[in-house]
Amino acid sequence: MGIIDTFEVGRQGLNVHSKRIQIAAKNIANLDTPNYVRKIPLVVSTDRSSFLSVMNQMKESTFGAGTLPYASGSVAMAGVVEDPTLGDRLYKPGHPDADENGYIRTSNVDPLVEITDAIMAQRAYEASLAIITMSKSMADKAATIGS
């Protein structure tokens, strides 16, 4: 993995985790919106190697030669799905969203879950930013070696 690849891994991480934060913020903003359905971001690894192949590489390479196996990959946003959990039914006759029996469906957003998701996304964003910062520092040091 080259220095440019590490910048790309950091960039992809920043993009994905900023979207996670935005989705959590939207869910929190719609906490009291009737019929709002919580959105869940789907984050996937872009690494194409399986766990078994990584373990085999470690068994053959790392323990024999003392080097880490080459691994590449990052994260990507695979989409957003709606939480299938139903919100509570609340009796509010006369509300514009009420059904024929006078009930509305409240939002299925749990603020504690959303705040926890937002904090985790923030920490992952900070880790991605640290990757870029360290890669920049390494590139700066490498540029000064020849001069």
Side-chain angles (χ1 to χ4, degrees), residues 1-2 4-6 8-10 12 44-51 53-54 57 68-75:
M1 178 178 285
I4 301 299
D5 296 329
T6 59
E8 182 62 19
V9 167
Q12 289 174 350
V44 296
S45 170
T46 60
D47 187 12
R48 301 220 186 332
S49 63
S50 69
F51 181 73
S53 67
V54 170
Q57 285 177 347
L68 292 175
Y70 176 81
S72 65
S74 184
V75 293

Side-chain angles (χ1 to χ4, degrees), residues 15-27:
N15 287 340
V16 167
H17 300 304
S18 68
K19 289 176 187 173
R20 287 180 59 204
I21 294 169
Q22 290 171 2
I23 291 169
K26 182 178 180 180
N27 286 339

